[in-house]
Amino acid sequence: MDAPRAERTDLLPVPDGKSGCPINLTVELLGDRWSLVVLRDVMFGDHRHFRELLTHSLEGIASNILAARLAKLVDAGLLTRHDDPSHRQKIEYRLTEAAIQLVPVLVQLGTWGARWLPTSPELAIRAQLLGQGGPEMAERFMDELRAMHLAGRPARPDGVLAELTRAYQRAAGIA
Amino acid sequence: MDAPRAERTDLLPVPDGKSGCPINLTVELLGDRWSLVVLRDVMFGDHRHFRELLTHSLEGIASNILAARLAKLVDAGLLTRHDDPSHRQKIEYRLTEAAIQLVPVLVQLGTWGARWLPTSPELAIRAQLLGQGGPEMAERFMDELRAMHLAGRPARPDGVLAELTRAYQRAAGIA
DNA sequence: CACTTCTGATTGCAAGTAACAACCGGTGGT
DNA sequence: ACCACCGGTTGTTACTTGCAATCAGAAGTG
């Protein structure tokens, strides 16, 4: 069980396949098919319960995968679990500050996807609006998410989230 | 083979597990363990050849995975293949404009990771510098990448890339 | 009380993907 | 002739994903 490799000393091949690079650690945590999609649905769709995420999601995540992702995100400190007064078995998942600070990441991902990938127009609208809104709009959105998920206040009808949702519904032709 | 599901008409469960959502499409393309890490090494490490990416990478990607990712990225239009005059078998991978426009995504990912994950300080410095530099610095970096990868000019010694590399080496204590 | 629905999951299985190590044919310098 | 280097490929093993069926507890309805 000796280690005959690693002759170089400058650029180190890290033994256990990990590295302290910020991009690498973030990709290690969120770089899979579903983690960011789940967070997207919590943020933009305001889906906070298991069934809601399971059935209202556009892409159709499997229930075991969703359960595993939620557990991982809770473990990573991006979501917190809360009892729901309306049903003893119901669990509410809320965003943490760490998750809310992922908004700029999602905005950039959405902006890039809307620019370079074959997105459907009605879904791309939210990404375009947020991207055009710049850091100020992202800041407003993050403050709104803080009010909703950290302070427990309801979504305000004149907020960014409502504006995005209305733009989407208008584009999707919902009468 | 009838389809007894899909009673809802508002929020559609897309049949083939895909959706035109920009975030979803981007995650579908780049949401894996290695794609963004490879692009990071091409951008920040200026590694343009297979062996370079294989051995100089911090995380130790396997050669078959690297080959598969390079092929996928070329196929997706994020990298292009070029003959290298110095060796008939040598292939140079260059960034495309689409890949260069991923810089803001990587900056945000790095900034978030440096803030919320246990990064090693010397590797976090580049992310912090780029994050603090704001959109202007990212723009300058993208212009530099365009000059190097699209126009084929060498890296300028007073550029963003050189500055980041120097900051890293200083922090890593390379004498 | 029985019946149904809703809650957040879990289980078993098939298929796909990642990791690891060994190896390949062609290239070019000595 | 030799050998290091080039971008990969192959084979095997281990793990992850996707799908469908199922679960037990909780609540609503008759």
Side-chain angles (χ1 to χ4, degrees), chain B:
Chain B
M1 279 303 201
D2 49 13
R5 49 183 159 179
E7 281 79 9
R8 341 183 20 101
T9 53
D10 44 8
L11 261 169
L12 37 145
V14 182
D16 55 344
K18 311 224 168 202
S19 94
C21 167
I23 291 178
N24 176 59
L25 285 173
T26 308
V27 165
E28 229 171 79
L29 178 65
L30 301 171
D32 65 75
R33 180 70 182 80
W34 292 112
S35 296
L36 288 173
V37 171
V38 168
L39 288 172
R40 175 203 66 182
D41 286 345
V42 179
M43 286 185 187
F44 295 94
D46 201 27
H47 298 153
R48 308 197 192 188
H49 301 99
F50 190 92
R51 287 287 156 172
E52 226 174 340
L53 289 163
L54 186 65
T55 61
H56 289 39
S57 154
L58 286 176
E59 292 88 12
I61 186 172
S63 62
N64 55 344
I65 306 291
L66 175 58
R69 285 303 167 275
L70 287 172
K72 192 182 86 172
L73 291 172
V74 168
D75 198 59
L78 296 179
L79 295 177
T80 49
R81 290 165 58 101
H82 302 267
D83 293 339
D84 189 312
S86 73
H87 190 301
R88 208 183 310 179
Q89 274 183 315
K90 214 165 175 181
I91 290 171
E92 185 188 358
Y93 291 94
R94 290 191 206 147
L95 299 170
T96 65
E97 175 63 25
I100 291 171
Q101 290 201 14
L102 278 173
V103 162
V105 173
L106 288 170
V107 169
Q108 292 296 336
L109 280 175
T111 302
W112 189 87
R115 167 94 172 74
W116 293 100
L117 299 177
T119 55
S120 48
E122 73 274 15
L123 289 169
I125 279 190
R126 284 186 292 202
Q128 285 161 348
L129 280 177
L130 256 177
Q132 287 161 13
E136 303 79 15
M137 191 173 186
E139 250 340 307
R140 269 201 298 144
F141 183 45
M142 289 166 71
D143 276 338
E144 209 173 317
L145 291 175
R146 285 186 190 101
M148 296 166 63
H149 288 260
L150 302 180
R153 286 197 287 275
R156 32 189 308 183
D158 62 336
V160 175
L161 188 55
E163 182 184 340
L164 294 176
T165 305
R166 261 179 280 133
Y168 163 68
Q169 291 173 338
R170 213 177 311 126
I174 292 183

Side-chain angles (χ1 to χ4, degrees), chain A residues 38 51 59-60 69 98 106 171 174:
Chain A
V38 169
R51 287 286 155 173
E59 292 89 10
R69 285 303 168 275
L106 288 170
I174 291 183

Side-chain angles (χ1 to χ4, degrees), chain A residues 92-103:
Chain A
E92 186 187 358
Y93 291 93
R94 290 190 205 148
L95 299 170
T96 64
E97 175 65 25
I100 292 171
Q101 291 202 12
L102 279 173
V103 163

